[in-house]
Amino acid sequence: MKAYIFDLDGVIVDTAKFHFLAWKKIGEEFGFELTHELNEQLKGVSRVDSLTKILGWAGVSVSSEKFDELATRKNADYLSYVEKMNENDILPGVKTFLEKAKKENIGIALGSASKNARPILQKLGIISYFDVIVDGNDVTKAKPDPEVFVIAAQKLGVDNEKCVVFEDSEAGIQAAKTAGMKAIGIGSPEVLTQADEVFSGFDAILNQ
Ligand code: BG6
Ligand code: MG
């Protein structure tokens, strides 16, 4: 048996832009301008690790109370964007690709750093496609550590070498490669240089 493991943000749905907007606002509070280039280093990275990086770039240190308050506020802001989403926000080709995989009896898992993964999949109406969901609530080590994908493969009962990971982040591609899985990049080949193959999206994969 073989399996597909999907990242969520930036792969299934374009929430990566909402994470960017919410972190940009937090950075601005410290006079720091988050660029798209630096934002690549936040993709796939946990909430806590993302905030640690931003504060480091801004050159500030805060108390642990302030840290928690910033992380909570960023998440509330992010969720205010997510609230307005519906199934029309699923990225092109994703649903057809999931349906095709189901018909071919390929195991389907989610491997995401997000603690909001389940409610987002529910909101998009596609949670039932997933045999296994591993998210930010289930892991102790964030991408680029392979833990999230290794747990997904174990839960599916599929060997790592038989798993194909779909990822939009450098950290996620690295995690998949470290796990011995095939890594398909969703995005640009200039950014996702370690991926086995890179596509602009699932429409492009379906039309290849
Ligand atoms: C990843 C995103 O999927 O999830 C990151 O690429 C985000 O940008 C991380 O920080 C954690 O998400 P959340 O929803 O738990 O803050
Ligand atoms: Mg992602």
Side-chain angles (χ1 to χ4, degrees), residues 7 40-41 43-45 53 142-150 160 165-185 191-196:
D7 174 46
E40 288 302 328
Q41 294 182 40
K43 288 187 179 171
V45 174
K53 276 180 191 267
K143 298 172 189 174
D145 190 283
E147 185 184 20
V148 66
F149 297 141
V150 171
N160 289 8
V165 171
F166 298 91
E167 257 293 349
D168 70 318
S169 73
E170 293 174 86
I173 296 285
Q174 210 182 312
K177 296 309 297 174
T178 306
M181 300 175 179
K182 183 168 182 181
I184 303 291
V191 175
L192 304 174
T193 53
Q194 305 301 310
D196 292 301

PDB file of all heavy atoms in Angstrom, residues 7 40-41 43-45 53 142-150 160 165-185 191-196:
ATOM      1  N   ASP A   7       0.443  18.416   3.796  1.00  0.00           N
ATOM      2  CA  ASP A   7       0.504  19.567   4.677  1.00  0.00           C
ATOM      3  C   ASP A   7      -0.825  20.319   4.481  1.00  0.00           C
ATOM      4  O   ASP A   7      -1.538  20.072   3.503  1.00  0.00           O
ATOM      5  CB  ASP A   7       1.707  20.429   4.267  1.00  0.00           C
ATOM      6  CG  ASP A   7       1.766  21.731   5.033  1.00  0.00           C
ATOM      7  OD1 ASP A   7       1.599  21.710   6.261  1.00  0.00           O
ATOM      8  OD2 ASP A   7       1.963  22.784   4.390  1.00  0.00           O
ATOM      9  N   GLU A  40       9.207  32.967   4.287  1.00  0.00           N
ATOM     10  CA  GLU A  40       9.458  31.581   3.842  1.00  0.00           C
ATOM     11  C   GLU A  40      10.009  30.748   5.000  1.00  0.00           C
ATOM     12  O   GLU A  40       9.742  29.565   5.095  1.00  0.00           O
ATOM     13  CB  GLU A  40      10.434  31.536   2.664  1.00  0.00           C
ATOM     14  CG  GLU A  40       9.869  32.031   1.339  1.00  0.00           C
ATOM     15  CD  GLU A  40       8.638  31.269   0.859  1.00  0.00           C
ATOM     16  OE1 GLU A  40       8.516  30.061   1.117  1.00  0.00           O
ATOM     17  OE2 GLU A  40       7.767  31.916   0.237  1.00  0.00           O
ATOM     18  N   GLN A  41      10.767  31.413   5.885  1.00  0.00           N
ATOM     19  CA  GLN A  41      11.371  30.699   7.027  1.00  0.00           C
ATOM     20  C   GLN A  41      10.354  30.413   8.126  1.00  0.00           C
ATOM     21  O   GLN A  41      10.653  29.692   9.074  1.00  0.00           O
ATOM     22  CB  GLN A  41      12.526  31.523   7.607  1.00  0.00           C
ATOM     23  CG  GLN A  41      13.690  31.667   6.652  1.00  0.00           C
ATOM     24  CD  GLN A  41      14.838  32.447   7.280  1.00  0.00           C
ATOM     25  OE1 GLN A  41      15.156  32.278   8.443  1.00  0.00           O
ATOM     26  NE2 GLN A  41      15.450  33.318   6.502  1.00  0.00           N
ATOM     27  N   LYS A  43       7.139  29.394   7.248  1.00  0.00           N
ATOM     28  CA  LYS A  43       6.199  28.392   6.733  1.00  0.00           C
ATOM     29  C   LYS A  43       6.519  27.022   7.313  1.00  0.00           C
ATOM     30  O   LYS A  43       7.679  26.601   7.311  1.00  0.00           O
ATOM     31  CB  LYS A  43       6.243  28.357   5.202  1.00  0.00           C
ATOM     32  CG  LYS A  43       5.595  29.581   4.573  1.00  0.00           C
ATOM     33  CD  LYS A  43       5.511  29.439   3.062  1.00  0.00           C
ATOM     34  CE  LYS A  43       4.842  30.672   2.451  1.00  0.00           C
ATOM     35  NZ  LYS A  43       4.942  30.636   0.974  1.00  0.00           N
ATOM     36  N   GLY A  44       5.496  26.334   7.790  1.00  0.00           N
ATOM     37  CA  GLY A  44       5.668  24.996   8.348  1.00  0.00           C
ATOM     38  C   GLY A  44       6.173  24.996   9.780  1.00  0.00           C
ATOM     39  O   GLY A  44       6.267  23.962  10.418  1.00  0.00           O
ATOM     40  N   VAL A  45       6.508  26.182  10.289  1.00  0.00           N
ATOM     41  CA  VAL A  45       7.106  26.321  11.622  1.00  0.00           C
ATOM     42  C   VAL A  45       5.994  26.571  12.648  1.00  0.00           C
ATOM     43  O   VAL A  45       5.059  27.321  12.385  1.00  0.00           O
ATOM     44  CB  VAL A  45       8.138  27.478  11.598  1.00  0.00           C
ATOM     45  CG1 VAL A  45       8.676  27.780  12.965  1.00  0.00           C
ATOM     46  CG2 VAL A  45       9.271  27.141  10.635  1.00  0.00           C
ATOM     47  N   LYS A  53      11.260  33.412  16.322  1.00  0.00           N
ATOM     48  CA  LYS A  53      12.052  33.907  15.192  1.00  0.00           C
ATOM     49  C   LYS A  53      11.775  35.392  14.960  1.00  0.00           C
ATOM     50  O   LYS A  53      12.699  36.184  14.765  1.00  0.00           O
ATOM     51  CB  LYS A  53      11.703  33.133  13.916  1.00  0.00           C
ATOM     52  CG  LYS A  53      12.450  31.819  13.761  1.00  0.00           C
ATOM     53  CD  LYS A  53      12.010  31.132  12.453  1.00  0.00           C
ATOM     54  CE  LYS A  53      12.519  29.718  12.388  1.00  0.00           C
ATOM     55  NZ  LYS A  53      13.796  29.585  11.708  1.00  0.00           N
ATOM     56  N   ALA A 142       8.834  20.120  16.110  1.00  0.00           N
ATOM     57  CA  ALA A 142       8.277  20.792  14.930  1.00  0.00           C
ATOM     58  C   ALA A 142       9.111  20.505  13.683  1.00  0.00           C
ATOM     59  O   ALA A 142      10.290  20.150  13.776  1.00  0.00           O
ATOM     60  CB  ALA A 142       8.237  22.289  15.198  1.00  0.00           C
ATOM     61  N   LYS A 143       8.486  20.626  12.493  1.00  0.00           N
ATOM     62  CA  LYS A 143       9.228  20.557  11.230  1.00  0.00           C
ATOM     63  C   LYS A 143      10.360  21.586  11.311  1.00  0.00           C
ATOM     64  O   LYS A 143      10.138  22.651  11.868  1.00  0.00           O
ATOM     65  CB  LYS A 143       8.318  20.913  10.047  1.00  0.00           C
ATOM     66  CG  LYS A 143       7.124  19.974   9.843  1.00  0.00           C
ATOM     67  CD  LYS A 143       6.194  20.535   8.761  1.00  0.00           C
ATOM     68  CE  LYS A 143       4.899  19.739   8.688  1.00  0.00           C
ATOM     69  NZ  LYS A 143       3.902  20.306   7.764  1.00  0.00           N
ATOM     70  N   PRO A 144      11.573  21.324  10.871  1.00  0.00           N
ATOM     71  CA  PRO A 144      12.000  20.258   9.952  1.00  0.00           C
ATOM     72  C   PRO A 144      12.221  18.881  10.581  1.00  0.00           C
ATOM     73  O   PRO A 144      12.682  17.977   9.902  1.00  0.00           O
ATOM     74  CB  PRO A 144      13.321  20.815   9.397  1.00  0.00           C
ATOM     75  CG  PRO A 144      13.855  21.688  10.480  1.00  0.00           C
ATOM     76  CD  PRO A 144      12.657  22.296  11.119  1.00  0.00           C
ATOM     77  N   ASP A 145      11.897  18.711  11.872  1.00  0.00           N
ATOM     78  CA  ASP A 145      11.959  17.359  12.432  1.00  0.00           C
ATOM     79  C   ASP A 145      10.885  16.507  11.728  1.00  0.00           C
ATOM     80  O   ASP A 145       9.764  16.978  11.513  1.00  0.00           O
ATOM     81  CB  ASP A 145      11.691  17.397  13.939  1.00  0.00           C
ATOM     82  CG  ASP A 145      11.998  16.057  14.581  1.00  0.00           C
ATOM     83  OD1 ASP A 145      11.168  15.122  14.444  1.00  0.00           O
ATOM     84  OD2 ASP A 145      13.075  15.932  15.190  1.00  0.00           O
ATOM     85  N   PRO A 146      11.196  15.270  11.389  1.00  0.00           N
ATOM     86  CA  PRO A 146      10.232  14.453  10.626  1.00  0.00           C
ATOM     87  C   PRO A 146       9.075  13.869  11.446  1.00  0.00           C
ATOM     88  O   PRO A 146       8.216  13.190  10.891  1.00  0.00           O
ATOM     89  CB  PRO A 146      11.104  13.342  10.053  1.00  0.00           C
ATOM     90  CG  PRO A 146      12.258  13.240  10.977  1.00  0.00           C
ATOM     91  CD  PRO A 146      12.518  14.613  11.505  1.00  0.00           C
ATOM     92  N   GLU A 147       9.043  14.146  12.773  1.00  0.00           N
ATOM     93  CA  GLU A 147       8.084  13.474  13.668  1.00  0.00           C
ATOM     94  C   GLU A 147       6.643  13.438  13.112  1.00  0.00           C
ATOM     95  O   GLU A 147       5.999  12.397  13.116  1.00  0.00           O
ATOM     96  CB  GLU A 147       8.082  14.150  15.046  1.00  0.00           C
ATOM     97  CG  GLU A 147       7.201  13.413  16.044  1.00  0.00           C
ATOM     98  CD  GLU A 147       7.100  14.120  17.407  1.00  0.00           C
ATOM     99  OE1 GLU A 147       7.384  15.332  17.510  1.00  0.00           O
ATOM    100  OE2 GLU A 147       6.718  13.430  18.361  1.00  0.00           O
ATOM    101  N   VAL A 148       6.141  14.575  12.646  1.00  0.00           N
ATOM    102  CA  VAL A 148       4.738  14.651  12.211  1.00  0.00           C
ATOM    103  C   VAL A 148       4.443  13.664  11.076  1.00  0.00           C
ATOM    104  O   VAL A 148       3.393  13.002  11.062  1.00  0.00           O
ATOM    105  CB  VAL A 148       4.356  16.109  11.833  1.00  0.00           C
ATOM    106  CG1 VAL A 148       5.099  16.610  10.615  1.00  0.00           C
ATOM    107  CG2 VAL A 148       2.854  16.267  11.615  1.00  0.00           C
ATOM    108  N   PHE A 149       5.382  13.509  10.142  1.00  0.00           N
ATOM    109  CA  PHE A 149       5.165  12.603   9.008  1.00  0.00           C
ATOM    110  C   PHE A 149       5.394  11.144   9.421  1.00  0.00           C
ATOM    111  O   PHE A 149       4.699  10.249   8.944  1.00  0.00           O
ATOM    112  CB  PHE A 149       6.086  12.972   7.839  1.00  0.00           C
ATOM    113  CG  PHE A 149       5.823  14.358   7.287  1.00  0.00           C
ATOM    114  CD1 PHE A 149       6.870  15.185   6.886  1.00  0.00           C
ATOM    115  CD2 PHE A 149       4.526  14.832   7.154  1.00  0.00           C
ATOM    116  CE1 PHE A 149       6.628  16.447   6.370  1.00  0.00           C
ATOM    117  CE2 PHE A 149       4.266  16.104   6.637  1.00  0.00           C
ATOM    118  CZ  PHE A 149       5.330  16.913   6.245  1.00  0.00           C
ATOM    119  N   VAL A 150       6.359  10.921  10.328  1.00  0.00           N
ATOM    120  CA  VAL A 150       6.641   9.555  10.790  1.00  0.00           C
ATOM    121  C   VAL A 150       5.420   9.009  11.546  1.00  0.00           C
ATOM    122  O   VAL A 150       4.994   7.869  11.329  1.00  0.00           O
ATOM    123  CB  VAL A 150       7.918   9.531  11.668  1.00  0.00           C
ATOM    124  CG1 VAL A 150       8.106   8.189  12.339  1.00  0.00           C
ATOM    125  CG2 VAL A 150       9.147   9.876  10.821  1.00  0.00           C
ATOM    126  N   ASN A 160       7.649   4.317   5.508  1.00  0.00           N
ATOM    127  CA  ASN A 160       8.025   5.690   5.120  1.00  0.00           C
ATOM    128  C   ASN A 160       8.330   5.804   3.624  1.00  0.00           C
ATOM    129  O   ASN A 160       7.943   6.772   2.979  1.00  0.00           O
ATOM    130  CB  ASN A 160       9.246   6.150   5.913  1.00  0.00           C
ATOM    131  CG  ASN A 160       8.923   6.417   7.369  1.00  0.00           C
ATOM    132  OD1 ASN A 160       7.817   6.125   7.828  1.00  0.00           O
ATOM    133  ND2 ASN A 160       9.871   6.961   8.102  1.00  0.00           N
ATOM    134  N   VAL A 165       4.880  13.005   0.326  1.00  0.00           N
ATOM    135  CA  VAL A 165       4.480  14.178   1.109  1.00  0.00           C
ATOM    136  C   VAL A 165       4.295  15.379   0.180  1.00  0.00           C
ATOM    137  O   VAL A 165       5.126  15.620  -0.701  1.00  0.00           O
ATOM    138  CB  VAL A 165       5.561  14.496   2.175  1.00  0.00           C
ATOM    139  CG1 VAL A 165       5.288  15.843   2.846  1.00  0.00           C
ATOM    140  CG2 VAL A 165       5.623  13.390   3.214  1.00  0.00           C
ATOM    141  N   PHE A 166       3.217  16.136   0.378  1.00  0.00           N
ATOM    142  CA  PHE A 166       2.963  17.359  -0.383  1.00  0.00           C
ATOM    143  C   PHE A 166       3.150  18.540   0.556  1.00  0.00           C
ATOM    144  O   PHE A 166       2.456  18.641   1.574  1.00  0.00           O
ATOM    145  CB  PHE A 166       1.542  17.339  -0.963  1.00  0.00           C
ATOM    146  CG  PHE A 166       1.330  16.204  -1.916  1.00  0.00           C
ATOM    147  CD1 PHE A 166       0.845  14.979  -1.466  1.00  0.00           C
ATOM    148  CD2 PHE A 166       1.645  16.337  -3.258  1.00  0.00           C
ATOM    149  CE1 PHE A 166       0.672  13.909  -2.337  1.00  0.00           C
ATOM    150  CE2 PHE A 166       1.479  15.271  -4.140  1.00  0.00           C
ATOM    151  CZ  PHE A 166       0.989  14.056  -3.673  1.00  0.00           C
ATOM    152  N   GLU A 167       4.056  19.417   0.226  1.00  0.00           N
ATOM    153  CA  GLU A 167       4.497  20.491   1.133  1.00  0.00           C
ATOM    154  C   GLU A 167       4.773  21.797   0.394  1.00  0.00           C
ATOM    155  O   GLU A 167       5.296  21.773  -0.720  1.00  0.00           O
ATOM    156  CB  GLU A 167       5.814  20.064   1.789  1.00  0.00           C
ATOM    157  CG  GLU A 167       5.697  19.599   3.208  1.00  0.00           C
ATOM    158  CD  GLU A 167       5.310  20.662   4.210  1.00  0.00           C
ATOM    159  OE1 GLU A 167       5.317  21.856   3.877  1.00  0.00           O
ATOM    160  OE2 GLU A 167       4.987  20.294   5.352  1.00  0.00           O
ATOM    161  N   ASP A 168       4.475  22.923   1.043  1.00  0.00           N
ATOM    162  CA  ASP A 168       4.811  24.227   0.443  1.00  0.00           C
ATOM    163  C   ASP A 168       5.982  24.886   1.175  1.00  0.00           C
ATOM    164  O   ASP A 168       6.378  25.989   0.810  1.00  0.00           O
ATOM    165  CB  ASP A 168       3.601  25.179   0.495  1.00  0.00           C
ATOM    166  CG  ASP A 168       3.280  25.629   1.905  1.00  0.00           C
ATOM    167  OD1 ASP A 168       3.339  24.779   2.819  1.00  0.00           O
ATOM    168  OD2 ASP A 168       2.996  26.819   2.101  1.00  0.00           O
ATOM    169  N   SER A 169       6.508  24.228   2.231  1.00  0.00           N
ATOM    170  CA  SER A 169       7.542  24.888   3.029  1.00  0.00           C
ATOM    171  C   SER A 169       8.878  24.162   2.941  1.00  0.00           C
ATOM    172  O   SER A 169       8.928  22.933   2.779  1.00  0.00           O
ATOM    173  CB  SER A 169       7.103  24.947   4.496  1.00  0.00           C
ATOM    174  OG  SER A 169       7.178  23.662   5.084  1.00  0.00           O
ATOM    175  N   GLU A 170       9.947  24.939   3.068  1.00  0.00           N
ATOM    176  CA  GLU A 170      11.289  24.347   3.067  1.00  0.00           C
ATOM    177  C   GLU A 170      11.445  23.400   4.257  1.00  0.00           C
ATOM    178  O   GLU A 170      12.023  22.321   4.130  1.00  0.00           O
ATOM    179  CB  GLU A 170      12.336  25.463   3.155  1.00  0.00           C
ATOM    180  CG  GLU A 170      12.392  26.349   1.935  1.00  0.00           C
ATOM    181  CD  GLU A 170      13.337  27.533   2.143  1.00  0.00           C
ATOM    182  OE1 GLU A 170      14.534  27.378   1.904  1.00  0.00           O
ATOM    183  OE2 GLU A 170      12.859  28.607   2.557  1.00  0.00           O
ATOM    184  N   ALA A 171      10.922  23.827   5.427  1.00  0.00           N
ATOM    185  CA  ALA A 171      11.021  22.993   6.636  1.00  0.00           C
ATOM    186  C   ALA A 171      10.313  21.654   6.434  1.00  0.00           C
ATOM    187  O   ALA A 171      10.812  20.603   6.850  1.00  0.00           O
ATOM    188  CB  ALA A 171      10.422  23.730   7.835  1.00  0.00           C
ATOM    189  N   GLY A 172       9.166  21.690   5.778  1.00  0.00           N
ATOM    190  CA  GLY A 172       8.377  20.472   5.543  1.00  0.00           C
ATOM    191  C   GLY A 172       9.048  19.539   4.549  1.00  0.00           C
ATOM    192  O   GLY A 172       9.019  18.313   4.704  1.00  0.00           O
ATOM    193  N   ILE A 173       9.646  20.108   3.501  1.00  0.00           N
ATOM    194  CA  ILE A 173      10.353  19.294   2.500  1.00  0.00           C
ATOM    195  C   ILE A 173      11.531  18.586   3.184  1.00  0.00           C
ATOM    196  O   ILE A 173      11.739  17.383   3.002  1.00  0.00           O
ATOM    197  CB  ILE A 173      10.881  20.177   1.329  1.00  0.00           C
ATOM    198  CG1 ILE A 173       9.717  20.834   0.557  1.00  0.00           C
ATOM    199  CG2 ILE A 173      11.809  19.376   0.404  1.00  0.00           C
ATOM    200  CD1 ILE A 173       8.928  19.941  -0.352  1.00  0.00           C
ATOM    201  N   GLN A 174      12.235  19.342   4.026  1.00  0.00           N
ATOM    202  CA  GLN A 174      13.370  18.762   4.755  1.00  0.00           C
ATOM    203  C   GLN A 174      12.900  17.625   5.667  1.00  0.00           C
ATOM    204  O   GLN A 174      13.530  16.571   5.741  1.00  0.00           O
ATOM    205  CB  GLN A 174      14.009  19.867   5.590  1.00  0.00           C
ATOM    206  CG  GLN A 174      15.503  19.695   5.808  1.00  0.00           C
ATOM    207  CD  GLN A 174      16.025  20.821   6.694  1.00  0.00           C
ATOM    208  OE1 GLN A 174      15.727  22.000   6.453  1.00  0.00           O
ATOM    209  NE2 GLN A 174      16.764  20.479   7.724  1.00  0.00           N
ATOM    210  N   ALA A 175      11.766  17.843   6.354  1.00  0.00           N
ATOM    211  CA  ALA A 175      11.206  16.824   7.250  1.00  0.00           C
ATOM    212  C   ALA A 175      10.881  15.550   6.473  1.00  0.00           C
ATOM    213  O   ALA A 175      11.211  14.440   6.916  1.00  0.00           O
ATOM    214  CB  ALA A 175       9.952  17.365   7.931  1.00  0.00           C
ATOM    215  N   ALA A 176      10.255  15.699   5.306  1.00  0.00           N
ATOM    216  CA  ALA A 176       9.875  14.535   4.491  1.00  0.00           C
ATOM    217  C   ALA A 176      11.118  13.776   4.029  1.00  0.00           C
ATOM    218  O   ALA A 176      11.174  12.541   4.104  1.00  0.00           O
ATOM    219  CB  ALA A 176       9.056  14.988   3.277  1.00  0.00           C
ATOM    220  N   LYS A 177      12.129  14.502   3.571  1.00  0.00           N
ATOM    221  CA  LYS A 177      13.359  13.856   3.081  1.00  0.00           C
ATOM    222  C   LYS A 177      14.068  13.107   4.215  1.00  0.00           C
ATOM    223  O   LYS A 177      14.536  11.993   4.041  1.00  0.00           O
ATOM    224  CB  LYS A 177      14.309  14.878   2.448  1.00  0.00           C
ATOM    225  CG  LYS A 177      13.788  15.577   1.201  1.00  0.00           C
ATOM    226  CD  LYS A 177      13.259  14.653   0.126  1.00  0.00           C
ATOM    227  CE  LYS A 177      14.307  13.731  -0.449  1.00  0.00           C
ATOM    228  NZ  LYS A 177      13.671  12.751  -1.390  1.00  0.00           N
ATOM    229  N   THR A 178      14.113  13.748   5.410  1.00  0.00           N
ATOM    230  CA  THR A 178      14.750  13.100   6.557  1.00  0.00           C
ATOM    231  C   THR A 178      14.019  11.803   6.926  1.00  0.00           C
ATOM    232  O   THR A 178      14.643  10.837   7.361  1.00  0.00           O
ATOM    233  CB  THR A 178      14.777  14.061   7.773  1.00  0.00           C
ATOM    234  OG1 THR A 178      15.403  15.274   7.365  1.00  0.00           O
ATOM    235  CG2 THR A 178      15.534  13.490   8.954  1.00  0.00           C
ATOM    236  N   ALA A 179      12.695  11.790   6.719  1.00  0.00           N
ATOM    237  CA  ALA A 179      11.903  10.594   7.033  1.00  0.00           C
ATOM    238  C   ALA A 179      12.059   9.516   5.959  1.00  0.00           C
ATOM    239  O   ALA A 179      11.517   8.416   6.099  1.00  0.00           O
ATOM    240  CB  ALA A 179      10.430  10.978   7.192  1.00  0.00           C
ATOM    241  N   GLY A 180      12.759   9.828   4.867  1.00  0.00           N
ATOM    242  CA  GLY A 180      12.918   8.862   3.770  1.00  0.00           C
ATOM    243  C   GLY A 180      11.696   8.795   2.876  1.00  0.00           C
ATOM    244  O   GLY A 180      11.440   7.777   2.220  1.00  0.00           O
ATOM    245  N   MET A 181      10.923   9.879   2.841  1.00  0.00           N
ATOM    246  CA  MET A 181       9.704   9.930   2.019  1.00  0.00           C
ATOM    247  C   MET A 181       9.951  10.750   0.753  1.00  0.00           C
ATOM    248  O   MET A 181      10.880  11.561   0.711  1.00  0.00           O
ATOM    249  CB  MET A 181       8.559  10.566   2.817  1.00  0.00           C
ATOM    250  CG  MET A 181       8.227   9.788   4.066  1.00  0.00           C
ATOM    251  SD  MET A 181       6.975  10.609   5.075  1.00  0.00           S
ATOM    252  CE  MET A 181       6.802   9.420   6.415  1.00  0.00           C
ATOM    253  N   LYS A 182       9.087  10.552  -0.244  1.00  0.00           N
ATOM    254  CA  LYS A 182       9.175  11.379  -1.449  1.00  0.00           C
ATOM    255  C   LYS A 182       8.552  12.740  -1.134  1.00  0.00           C
ATOM    256  O   LYS A 182       7.482  12.806  -0.529  1.00  0.00           O
ATOM    257  CB  LYS A 182       8.435  10.692  -2.599  1.00  0.00           C
ATOM    258  CG  LYS A 182       8.547  11.460  -3.900  1.00  0.00           C
ATOM    259  CD  LYS A 182       8.074  10.636  -5.083  1.00  0.00           C
ATOM    260  CE  LYS A 182       8.254  11.448  -6.348  1.00  0.00           C
ATOM    261  NZ  LYS A 182       7.813  10.739  -7.545  1.00  0.00           N
ATOM    262  N   ALA A 183       9.249  13.813  -1.522  1.00  0.00           N
ATOM    263  CA  ALA A 183       8.737  15.157  -1.204  1.00  0.00           C
ATOM    264  C   ALA A 183       8.345  15.901  -2.476  1.00  0.00           C
ATOM    265  O   ALA A 183       9.188  16.157  -3.341  1.00  0.00           O
ATOM    266  CB  ALA A 183       9.808  15.943  -0.459  1.00  0.00           C
ATOM    267  N   ILE A 184       7.049  16.200  -2.583  1.00  0.00           N
ATOM    268  CA  ILE A 184       6.555  16.988  -3.717  1.00  0.00           C
ATOM    269  C   ILE A 184       6.321  18.413  -3.229  1.00  0.00           C
ATOM    270  O   ILE A 184       5.526  18.636  -2.303  1.00  0.00           O
ATOM    271  CB  ILE A 184       5.220  16.412  -4.269  1.00  0.00           C
ATOM    272  CG1 ILE A 184       5.385  14.943  -4.681  1.00  0.00           C
ATOM    273  CG2 ILE A 184       4.699  17.270  -5.440  1.00  0.00           C
ATOM    274  CD1 ILE A 184       6.250  14.692  -5.876  1.00  0.00           C
ATOM    275  N   GLY A 185       6.998  19.360  -3.836  1.00  0.00           N
ATOM    276  CA  GLY A 185       6.836  20.756  -3.460  1.00  0.00           C
ATOM    277  C   GLY A 185       5.648  21.380  -4.168  1.00  0.00           C
ATOM    278  O   GLY A 185       5.415  21.118  -5.351  1.00  0.00           O
ATOM    279  N   VAL A 191      12.446  28.229  -4.571  1.00  0.00           N
ATOM    280  CA  VAL A 191      12.386  28.210  -3.101  1.00  0.00           C
ATOM    281  C   VAL A 191      12.539  26.777  -2.586  1.00  0.00           C
ATOM    282  O   VAL A 191      13.309  26.518  -1.657  1.00  0.00           O
ATOM    283  CB  VAL A 191      11.040  28.820  -2.601  1.00  0.00           C
ATOM    284  CG1 VAL A 191      10.923  28.703  -1.093  1.00  0.00           C
ATOM    285  CG2 VAL A 191      10.923  30.283  -3.037  1.00  0.00           C
ATOM    286  N   LEU A 192      11.821  25.831  -3.200  1.00  0.00           N
ATOM    287  CA  LEU A 192      11.769  24.456  -2.685  1.00  0.00           C
ATOM    288  C   LEU A 192      12.832  23.596  -3.380  1.00  0.00           C
ATOM    289  O   LEU A 192      12.531  22.610  -4.070  1.00  0.00           O
ATOM    290  CB  LEU A 192      10.362  23.891  -2.869  1.00  0.00           C
ATOM    291  CG  LEU A 192       9.258  24.748  -2.224  1.00  0.00           C
ATOM    292  CD1 LEU A 192       7.872  24.226  -2.572  1.00  0.00           C
ATOM    293  CD2 LEU A 192       9.423  24.813  -0.699  1.00  0.00           C
ATOM    294  N   THR A 193      14.067  23.984  -3.181  1.00  0.00           N
ATOM    295  CA  THR A 193      15.178  23.382  -3.927  1.00  0.00           C
ATOM    296  C   THR A 193      15.448  21.921  -3.543  1.00  0.00           C
ATOM    297  O   THR A 193      16.036  21.187  -4.325  1.00  0.00           O
ATOM    298  CB  THR A 193      16.470  24.205  -3.714  1.00  0.00           C
ATOM    299  OG1 THR A 193      16.687  24.339  -2.309  1.00  0.00           O
ATOM    300  CG2 THR A 193      16.375  25.585  -4.332  1.00  0.00           C
ATOM    301  N   GLN A 194      15.032  21.512  -2.335  1.00  0.00           N
ATOM    302  CA  GLN A 194      15.315  20.134  -1.868  1.00  0.00           C
ATOM    303  C   GLN A 194      14.225  19.137  -2.272  1.00  0.00           C
ATOM    304  O   GLN A 194      14.373  17.934  -2.037  1.00  0.00           O
ATOM    305  CB  GLN A 194      15.450  20.100  -0.334  1.00  0.00           C
ATOM    306  CG  GLN A 194      16.482  21.057   0.243  1.00  0.00           C
ATOM    307  CD  GLN A 194      17.874  20.800  -0.300  1.00  0.00           C
ATOM    308  OE1 GLN A 194      18.345  19.664  -0.289  1.00  0.00           O
ATOM    309  NE2 GLN A 194      18.515  21.845  -0.807  1.00  0.00           N
ATOM    310  N   ALA A 195      13.140  19.633  -2.881  1.00  0.00           N
ATOM    311  CA  ALA A 195      12.017  18.739  -3.224  1.00  0.00           C
ATOM    312  C   ALA A 195      12.387  17.820  -4.385  1.00  0.00           C
ATOM    313  O   ALA A 195      13.222  18.165  -5.221  1.00  0.00           O
ATOM    314  CB  ALA A 195      10.798  19.579  -3.595  1.00  0.00           C
ATOM    315  N   ASP A 196      11.750  16.628  -4.423  1.00  0.00           N
ATOM    316  CA  ASP A 196      11.998  15.709  -5.541  1.00  0.00           C
ATOM    317  C   ASP A 196      11.408  16.254  -6.834  1.00  0.00           C
ATOM    318  O   ASP A 196      11.965  16.094  -7.902  1.00  0.00           O
ATOM    319  CB  ASP A 196      11.378  14.338  -5.212  1.00  0.00           C
ATOM    320  CG  ASP A 196      12.123  13.667  -4.069  1.00  0.00           C
ATOM    321  OD1 ASP A 196      13.328  13.450  -4.207  1.00  0.00           O
ATOM    322  OD2 ASP A 196      11.501  13.413  -3.021  1.00  0.00           O
TER     323      ASP A 196
END
